[in-house]
Amino acid sequence: MTQNREAGHQPSQEDMQAAKQAIQSAYSQCSQEEKQELQQLERKLEAEHNNQLR
């Protein structure tokens, strides 16, 4: 998704929701270090989504 954004493609609301659900699903199957990486990814997605709304 972030690569598509860099290429000028805007993710749809459905794409954003699917990415968030995938991240949430991954939380239950990962280590503490991986959870921190997932949190960073979530923040990046949220920031990109907020920029898209502007």
Side-chain angles (χ1 to χ4, degrees), residues 34-50:
E34 291 169 324
K35 285 180 183 180
Q36 291 174 345
E37 291 177 21
L38 288 171
Q39 289 171 340
Q40 290 174 351
L41 180 57
E42 274 187 308
R43 286 191 293 270
K44 184 175 181 179
L45 287 173
E46 281 298 320
E48 289 181 9
H49 179 68
N50 290 337

Side-chain angles (χ1 to χ4, degrees), residues 4-53:
N4 284 343
R5 173 118 167 99
E6 290 169 4
H9 298 38
Q10 298 296 325
S12 68
Q13 187 65 29
E14 292 82 17
D15 291 339
M16 290 293 297
Q17 191 61 32
K20 288 179 183 181
Q21 287 175 347
I23 290 170
Q24 290 299 317
S25 178
Y27 271 118
S28 65
Q29 304 172 18
C30 64
S31 68
Q32 186 61 36
E33 184 177 293
E34 291 169 324
K35 285 180 183 180
Q36 291 174 345
E37 291 177 21
L38 288 171
Q39 289 171 340
Q40 290 174 351
L41 180 57
E42 274 187 308
R43 286 191 293 270
K44 184 175 181 179
L45 287 173
E46 281 298 320
E48 289 181 9
H49 179 68
N50 290 337
N51 286 337
Q52 178 185 352
L53 296 177

